[in-house]
Structures are given as C-alpha cells and as structure tokens.
C-alpha cells in the first residue's frame, strides 16, 4: 500500500509516531514557534500538511492537529497559539523537551506551475502560509501575502514570518492597516492568473472566496476542524463541500476554494 | 517503556470468542480505526501487520448516510464526545470496497446498523450473498457480526437497544439471515443493561458487547449553546471506564459463559485486564486509537506483562475474578 496516499505532489502521509526533540523555541506573546528535529517527517512533508501533536502530561487525551509552519532538512517548525488548555501547554515546550508527533498528514497546497501567488491569512490560519511561501519562492514564483489579525495580541504572530512582500491589517488598527484582510486585498494590484491561497477563520474564508471569484481568480483554502484521529478513521472532522461532507484530515485540509461552503 | 521486562513467551493470550479464535483479547471498537486509511499512511503492509486480534469496521447500514452536521467531536475531561451519526457509504458501496482489504490477516466482525429489523437484516443478507459468491481471496475473513443497536447519535435519538422488545426483533431478523457468530452491542443508556442483553440472547445472539457511548452533552464555552452539531453526543474514554466495568460485571454475572466483548475507556493493558476480570472474553479499544498509531501494540504488550506478572498461565485465568464472592 506504500505510496498510495499521494494526493498532491510527491508528499506522503504517515501515521506512525515520531519522538521529536525541541531544538529551538521562540515565544511571541501567546504564540510559540517550535522547531522540532523530525527528519522523517520533514523529508515527506509538503506545504499545507499538518501533524498530530501529543500534548505532554496527564489529562490530555486527543492529539492536537497543527499545520506545518516550515520543513527543511531534518527539522519541522510549528507555529502554535495558546487557545485552549492543550495548545497553551504546547506553547510552553522548551528546548530539549521531547514531544510525540505523527505526520505529515492530509493534503498539500498544489503549487505546480504557479508563477504568481497571493497568500491570504487570518489569525493563526497564517501558519501554513510561511511554508507555502518558502516553497513557492524557491520555485521562482512571485509571492505576495496579506495577513489580518484581530488586535495587537493576535498580531504578535507576525514576528514569526519571513515573507518578503507581506502586508498586515488589524481590526483595532494597532498593527499595520486598520481593517480586515479584505481591505488589504482591495489595495493590491493583482496580476491576472494569480493563484490565491487562503487560511483563516470561516468569515474570512467566505469573504476571500467572494473576492477571488469577483476577481476571476482561482485558489485553494486550508480548513481547520476539531479532530479526533487525524488519520481518516473517525469521520469527526467533516466539512460541507460541493462534493458533500469531506474529512478535513483526509480529503483536506487543503481544498479548492470554489468547492468549500464556509 | 524501555525498562519493561521482556515479555514472557509462555504467557498464552489467546482467547475463544464463541467460535472465533483470537490470538489475543484485543479488538478495535467500531468506528475508531479504518484499516484502509491506516494502510495509506503506513510504510509497511498494514493488512499483514494489523495489531488487533479481530477487526470491527465502522458500522455499515443498508443505505448511505451522510451523518450529523459538524462539529462532531471534541475532548472533555478524561473523555471524548462524538456525534458522527453513522456516516457510511451504505452496504452496496461498502461491499464493493471489500477487495481492497481482503488480505487483512485478522478475522472480521462486521458492525451493522439500521432503524428497523428489516434494515439490519438487509445489510447481513447483502453481505452473505456476496460472501457466498465471492472467489477466494477477494473478500476479508468475515466471521460474524456486531449488531450496533446502541448508537446514541442517530436521527430522532432512536436507540433500539434501550427497548428489549425492539432489540429482540432486530436480533431475530439478523439471526434468520446468517449462521455466523452474532454479537449484539448494548447501550449503557438504560436502567438495567441486562434486560436488553437477555432480549438479545433470547432472540438468538451468540454474545454481547458493551458498552457503547453514554449519551452526553458539551457546551460551547463562549455561547453556552450545545457545541456539537447534533446537540448531544456519545461520551467515551477513561471517564466512562468505571461505569463500563460495572456494567460488564453485571452482564457477565447474569449470563455466565456467554461470549462478551468489554469496552469503555481502555487506555492501558491494566485497563484491558480489568475488563477481563469483570468477565469479558475479549476487550475492545476505542478512544485510545485516537491517541497514537502504536496504541494497540503498547496496550497488548502491557496486557502481556500484567498477565505474566500476576502468574497467570493464560489470560483466561483472569476472567471473572472480580465476580467472585
């Protein structure tokens, strides 16, 4: 059965657990960038895929699905936001800690043949777009990113990103332009044929979807869902799509922007 | 786990679940593990390396079901609540996929669901007809059925297993449709779990499995509205284990020598041994499958150690210890 998990590109899903040492941990307010030594995950991964991370300690049952923030050589990185008990515990991981990680899992952002890319992120949904920007830039694509955040605290995540052409908006006007990511999009001069990649909260996805159709563009979206297994078994993470209910962990998390119904 | 003693090779973990010989007592709880999904995410041959002694697939119904609206699952203190709603492609599409996992090395107990005796029997009749005509090697080793009369998340809240008469009607219709081993999976959402158990056995079931999930509710912390799309769901995980043990003990006491599959929050080998001590023949692992790919191998190794450390020659020697006066 080896290799039959290919959906996009040459990445492959992998359910087995890797015991990964934290090689770097950077804290940005309620966020942490965790670099993990995970050669076997890094080797298979592609932008858009995620990993299931076991929360260390007693009292946590389900693993947390976290998208790949980067992957190169022997390391992967995760951008984690302290949102609930489990993710808060993950942001407190320190260099030398060992954490159990399964992955890479799920579908990847298609990138083949893309020359102009617009990356639209909202909140912690920006996380998978760094890895995507790295891969697109390495392939010679022209990459522009527009990120929106709720407020100053949420915008602390910006400090984790190294995307050359990145504009930021906050709803409270504390960082970047005052407004939503849609205000940023309206101000952009987007080349025809640009591929849109989006990840963020549901209202943002809906707005980006409308904007993309209006501009006559096509694109992809990475969705988030509460998950139990992360490996296609439990059907807990389904979303409604034009193709019916699909699993975010299995058919997703990356879907065509025109097939989701946010 | 590196400080664990090497497993004692003389410890016999094999059990007989009715006519089904199991290499060890652990099976998966229906709906928590999909062999094809794992095979797609595994470097080796998962169908050969399948860790459980038998495979219980996700419940199949006569017609396709789209399941419940999301969200469908979340974590609760020491537990998991879900309301999937028996999403499945229907028995005909399900049968069409059997060839893809025909090489599975373990015996299979097919979980069957429905809203009426006719629907349950239709699933079994369709599968029996297919098995009878299938060339060797094109279908997995189906040895029996588990009648899921206990899903708490189906439309209208209908739970056949809460009604002994309705349970007997379903079991009777299925008994007429197959000569294979027939388990009935009981709901814990009743006053006396032995009543439906007696009804199932009286109508021809060969054994019982219990418990399915406890009907439960979790609220969205911000809105104080039900979190799940189905409003209510079924609770599983360590939170339910003590209640599940009590119910397995009650059923084992009421129906001695009846093949029993015990389940409810099994996370360790000791948990599994406790279900056996309460009278279970075999033990199903559910929520633990969500914690890691390696959970079944770990639980099995722990069970082997627990049995050996207590000086039992076979796992069967531990069966029913908790029931003794």
């Amino acid at each position: 059965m080896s290799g039959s998990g290919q959906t996009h590109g040459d990445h492959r899903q992998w359910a087995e657990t890797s015991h990964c040492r934290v090689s770097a941990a950077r804290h940005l307010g309620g966020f942490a960038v965790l670099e993990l030594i995970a050669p076997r995950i890094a080797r298979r991964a592609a932008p858009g895929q995620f990993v299931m991370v076991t929360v260390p300690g007693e009292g946590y049952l389900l693993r947390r699905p976290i998208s790949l923030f980067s992957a190169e050589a022997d390391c992967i990185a995760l951008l984690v936001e302290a949102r609930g008990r489990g993710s808060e515990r993950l942001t407190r991981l320190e260099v030398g800690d060992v954490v159990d990680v399964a992955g890479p899992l799920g579908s990847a952002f298609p990138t083949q043949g893309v020359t102009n890319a617009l990356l639209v992120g909202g909140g912690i949904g920006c996380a998978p777009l760094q890895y995507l920007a790295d891969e697109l830039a390495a392939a010679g694509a022209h990459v522009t990113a527009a990120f929106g955040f709720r407020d100053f605290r949420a915008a602390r995540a910006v400090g984790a990103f190294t995307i050359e052409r990145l504009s930021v908006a906050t709803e409270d006007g504390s960082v970047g332009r005052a407004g939503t990511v849609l205000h940023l999009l309206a101000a952009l001069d987007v080349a025809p044929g640009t591929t849109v990649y989006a990840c963020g909260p549901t209202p943002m996805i809906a707005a980006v979807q409308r904007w993309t159709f209006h501009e006559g563009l096509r694109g992809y979206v990475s969705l988030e869902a509460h998950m139990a297994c992360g490996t296609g078994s439990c059907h807990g993470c389904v979303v409604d799509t034009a193709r019916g209910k699909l699993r975010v962990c299995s058919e997703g998390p990356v879907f065509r922007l025109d097939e989701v119904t946010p | 786990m590196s400080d664990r003693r090497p497993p004692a090779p003389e410890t016999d973990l094999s059990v007989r679940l009715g006519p089904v010989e199991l290499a060890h007592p652990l099976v998966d709880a229906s709906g928590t593990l999909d062999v094809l999904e794992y095979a797609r995410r595994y470097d080796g041959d998962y169908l050969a390396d399948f860790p459980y002694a038998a495979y219980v697939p996700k419940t199949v119904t006569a017609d396709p079901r789209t399941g419940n609206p999301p969200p469908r699952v979340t974590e609760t203190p020491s537990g998991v609540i879900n309301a999937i709603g028996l999403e499945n492609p229907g028995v005909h599409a399900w049968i069409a996929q059997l060839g893809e996992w025909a090489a599975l090395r373990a015996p299979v107990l097919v979980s069957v669901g429905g809203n009426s005796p006719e629907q349950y029997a239709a699933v079994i009749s369709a599968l029996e007809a297919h098995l009878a005509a299938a060339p060797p090697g094109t279908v997995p080793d189906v040895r029996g059925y588990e009648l899921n009369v206990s899903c708490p998340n189906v439309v209208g809240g209908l739970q056949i297993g809460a009604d002994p008469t309705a349970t007997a009607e379903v079991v009777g219709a299925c008994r007429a449709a197959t000569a294979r081993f027939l388990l009935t999976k009981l709901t814990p959402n009743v006053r006396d779990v032995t009543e439906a158990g007696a009804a199932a056995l009286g109508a021809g079931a060969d054994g019982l499995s219990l418990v399915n999930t406890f009907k439960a509710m979790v609220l969205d912390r911000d809105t104080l509205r039900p979190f799940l799309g189905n409003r209510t769901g079924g609770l599983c995980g360590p939170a339910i284990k003590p209640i599940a043990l009590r119910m397995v003990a009650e059923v084992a006491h009421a129906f001695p020598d009846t093949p029993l599959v015990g389940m409810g929050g099994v996370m360790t080998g000791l948990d599994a041994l406790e279900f056996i001590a309460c009278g279970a023949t075999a033990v199903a692992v559910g929520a633990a499958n969500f914690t890691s790919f390696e959970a079944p191998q770990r639980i099995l190794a722990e069970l082997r150690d627990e049995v050996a450390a207590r000086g039992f020659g076979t796992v069967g020697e531990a069966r029913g210890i908790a029931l003794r006066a």
Side-chain angles (χ1 to χ4, degrees):
Chain A
M1 302 299 294
S2 183
S4 58
Q6 294 184 8
T7 46
H8 302 301
D10 59 355
H11 76 283
R12 196 164 71 222
Q13 299 190 71
W14 198 38
E16 289 179 60
T17 305
S18 301
H19 310 295
C20 302
R21 186 169 298 279
V22 178
S23 53
R26 187 174 160 217
H27 299 272
L28 301 155
F31 298 85
V33 183
L34 304 171
E35 190 181 274
L36 308 174
I37 301 170
R40 293 195 294 180
I41 297 176
R43 203 178 308 138
R44 298 164 191 243
Q49 291 192 289
F50 67 98
V51 291
M52 295 296 278
V53 183
T54 303
V55 183
E58 294 289 317
Y60 306 100
L61 204 56
L62 298 178
R63 296 171 293 179
R64 270 43 175 187
I66 298 178
S67 62
L68 291 168
F69 180 69
S70 76
E72 53 181 332
D74 286 349
C75 289
I76 59 170
L78 310 175
L79 174 62
V80 185
E81 180 183 19
R83 286 212 285 198
R85 245 167 37 86
S87 55
E88 193 274 335
R89 175 67 189 89
L90 292 177
T91 62
R92 288 192 284 109
L93 284 169
E94 293 172 3
V95 172
D97 288 347
V98 175
V99 65
D100 284 354
V101 180
L105 297 166
S107 59
F109 287 115
T111 55
Q112 207 163 18
V114 172
T115 52
N116 281 292
L118 173 58
L119 282 46
V120 187
I124 191 62
C126 299
L129 302 180
Q130 176 67 54
Y131 186 12
L132 176 64
D134 293 343
E135 293 273 310
L136 286 167
H142 184 271
V143 179
T144 304
F147 290 175
F149 298 94
R150 198 175 49 251
D151 54 23
F152 177 80
R153 279 172 56 186
R156 290 294 300 275
V158 173
F161 288 85
T162 56
I163 299 175
E164 201 177 326
R165 280 173 294 275
L166 168 64
S167 52
V168 174
T170 48
E171 289 172 37
D172 68 354
S174 56
V175 180
R177 185 191 167 121
T180 69
V181 79
L182 269 294
H183 294 104
L184 297 177
L185 298 183
L188 287 174
D189 186 17
V190 181
T194 293
T195 302
V196 177
Y197 298 92
C199 185
T202 304
M204 187 207 90
I205 298 297
V208 172
Q209 191 185 51
R210 285 192 299 272
W211 179 86
T212 303
F213 297 163
H214 184 264
E215 296 292 316
L217 302 174
R218 63 184 184 86
Y220 303 94
V221 59
S222 175
L223 298 182
E224 187 179 52
H226 282 261
M227 283 183 195
C229 71
T231 52
S233 284
C234 75
H235 294 251
C237 64
V238 298
V239 289
D240 289 308
T241 75
R243 289 186 281 152
K245 285 193 169 70
L246 297 177
R247 294 162 294 184
V248 170
C249 76
S250 199
E251 286 82 23
V254 175
F255 296 92
R256 285 202 333 264
L257 194 50
D258 62 3
E259 70 181 348
V260 299
T261 53
Chain B
M1 283 191 286
S2 54
D3 59 348
R4 190 175 294 287
R5 295 182 318 284
E10 69 273 18
T11 305
D12 180 9
L13 289 186
S14 66
V15 295
R16 283 181 55 96
L17 184 68
V20 187
E21 300 271 2
L22 301 179
H24 59 77
L26 301 183
V27 306
D28 64 298
S30 176
T32 64
L33 189 159
D34 185 316
V35 284
L36 284 177
E37 296 295 340
Y38 265 169
R40 293 183 183 112
R41 293 164 174 83
Y42 183 63
D43 282 351
D45 180 353
Y46 189 71
L47 299 179
D49 295 344
F50 186 70
Y52 285 110
Y55 176 48
V56 187
K58 184 167 169 57
T59 297
V60 59
T61 57
D63 297 317
R65 294 199 185 195
T66 56
N68 287 323
R72 290 177 166 184
V73 64
T74 193
E75 184 167 332
T76 59
S78 298
V80 176
I81 187 169
N82 86 80
I84 311 298
L86 297 186
E87 178 182 337
N88 80 95
V91 68
H92 294 293
W94 190 85
I95 285 172
Q97 223 186 9
L98 286 179
E100 292 181 43
W101 51 284
L104 182 70
R105 65 155 194 87
V108 177
L109 301 171
V110 178
S111 174
V112 179
N115 291 343
S116 66
E118 295 73 27
Q119 288 182 4
Y120 282 82
V123 172
I124 293 178
S125 297
L127 183 52
E128 288 292 345
H130 181 79
L131 294 174
T138 64
V139 289
D141 183 16
V142 174
R143 297 286 186 83
Y145 299 90
E146 179 182 75
L147 305 179
N148 179 4
V149 295
S150 44
C151 176
N153 301 322
V154 288
V155 180
L158 177 77
Q159 239 183 314
I160 289 169
D163 178 349
T165 306
T167 300
E169 287 171 4
V170 166
V171 174
C174 294
R175 181 74 288 167
T178 183
R180 286 176 222 267
F181 183 61
L182 201 56
L183 281 168
T184 301
K185 187 169 182 178
L186 304 177
T187 174
N189 301 305
V190 291
R191 190 192 41 161
D192 180 354
V193 72
T194 66
E195 288 180 1
L201 295 171
D206 300 306
L208 303 171
S209 54
L210 69 157
V211 297
N212 207 318
T213 56
F214 287 77
K215 195 167 182 177
M217 185 180 250
V218 62
L219 300 188
D220 182 301
R221 274 181 292 182
D222 295 327
T223 66
L224 297 181
R225 304 274 298 164
F227 173 81
L228 296 174
N230 189 51
R231 298 182 66 88
T232 61
L235 184 65
C236 64
I240 71 167
K241 192 189 83 172
I243 322 177
L245 284 173
R246 186 262 297 174
M247 290 180 163
V248 169
E250 287 174 351
V251 169
H253 178 77
F255 315 111
D257 306 322
T258 297
L260 294 184
V261 181
M263 72 193 87
V266 172
M267 306 298 285
T268 68
L270 180 56
D271 292 337
L273 187 60
E274 286 180 338
F275 274 93
I276 292 165
C278 284
T281 320
V283 179
V285 176
N289 289 316
F290 301 152
T291 65
S292 81
F293 177 84
E294 296 82 9
Q297 294 92 330
R298 172 184 59 77
I299 295 170
L300 179 60
E302 290 171 354
L303 175 63
R304 194 181 299 279
D305 282 3
E306 292 287 351
V307 170
R310 284 167 169 75
F312 298 125
T314 71
V315 71
E317 291 175 31
R319 190 177 177 210
I321 283 178
L323 305 176
R324 293 175 196 161

